[in-house]
Amino acid sequence: MLRISIYDLILRHTFTISRSAKKISQTIIVEFEHENVIGYGEASPSPRYNESIDTIKLFYDKLNLDDFKDPLNLDDILCHINKIASGNYSAKAGIDIALHDWFGKKEGVSLWKKWKLQKSKIPITSFTIGIDSLDIISQKIAEAEKYPILKVKLGVDNDLEIISKIRKLTDKPIRVDANEGWKIKEEALQKILWLEKQNIEFIEQPMPSSQLADIKWLHDRVKIPFIADESVSRLEDINKLIGIFDGINIKLMKAGGLREAIRMIGQAKEFGLKIMLGCMIETSIGISAAAQLLPLADYADLDGNLLITNDPFEGVKYEDGILILSDEPGLGVRKRT
Ligand code: MG
């Protein structure tokens, strides 16, 4: 049996990136119940990928799992779900995550253990600083004190001013995410050449995914690594990025869940691409799900649950920026009481 509920997640600060701003982020929590075991999943829609709460509800209305008597047939069920409609990847992720959680609980094992991953190999997660006034950015830098790596959103007119301000406050490593905000390659080049002198670790999605040739032009002229985010959702997107990006940001909500994310990690590693695990604004369900794969990642950007004030669930914990995976079965999440 499948149940869904909609939650309004309240953001600590209005969350502004190059294309949007929001104070509340809606998400859907999925509960898959079978043989008295409940698996939790989450679908956090992004308009960038043509999804909303309504599209997720419509997708779930079309879903009928009655033909599948045994949820342990995970691959068969997920293949079936994938064929219901194209796109709808956060909706698909919601089911994929819930089934994986159910499967882990049924077998009494946490997913990372089931996949024989090592808890000790987890990269430090970055903490996101959204676009804001310079005063608020200073406040956010102070609030982020316990996080050793910052991910700074750029892609606006005063990008250099933002980084200059932050560099006056801290010498922590900074990762920049332009969220497709730079549209003219020559201007982007000038910004990146300046950023290269500011101890920036890499740049995520400097230009729109539709301008891949411009991104290649840029990549050929700079030293700083590029990580693809909006340019890559699923396995089939990876091939075209070779020689243009140095790594990919995998998010369960873009990929359609853990199953596809694992396939992507294998393929990207074969091509020598670095792996980043990222997220949308999500509760501890989505974050704990992605965190199961962290031992396979080079970079972690799993802070969506830290940016909200009313997470209805608890799961992974953070110690000095390192996510601590739970030994509890499945995702290791539970409802907050
Ligand atoms: Mg990004």
Side-chain angles (χ1 to χ4, degrees), residues 151 153 177 179 204 229-230 249 251:
K151 172 155 152 179
K153 297 287 194 181
D177 188 357
N179 282 111
E204 200 175 309
D229 182 358
E230 287 85 346
N249 184 347
K251 297 178 182 170

Side-chain angles (χ1 to χ4, degrees), residues 222-267:
V222 300
K223 291 190 204 76
I224 197 163
F226 284 180
I227 305 289
D229 182 358
E230 287 85 346
S231 284
V232 58
S233 291
R234 291 172 57 80
L235 186 70
E236 70 239 28
D237 302 322
I238 297 178
N239 251 331
K240 65 175 191 286
L241 307 178
I242 311 297
I244 304 176
F245 286 97
D246 305 283
I248 60 169
N249 184 347
I250 298 174
K251 297 178 182 170
L252 301 184
M253 299 300 152
K254 293 189 295 181
L258 288 157
R259 181 174 176 271
E260 180 76 3
I262 292 169
R263 296 169 66 205
M264 292 173 77
I265 290 171
Q267 175 79 293

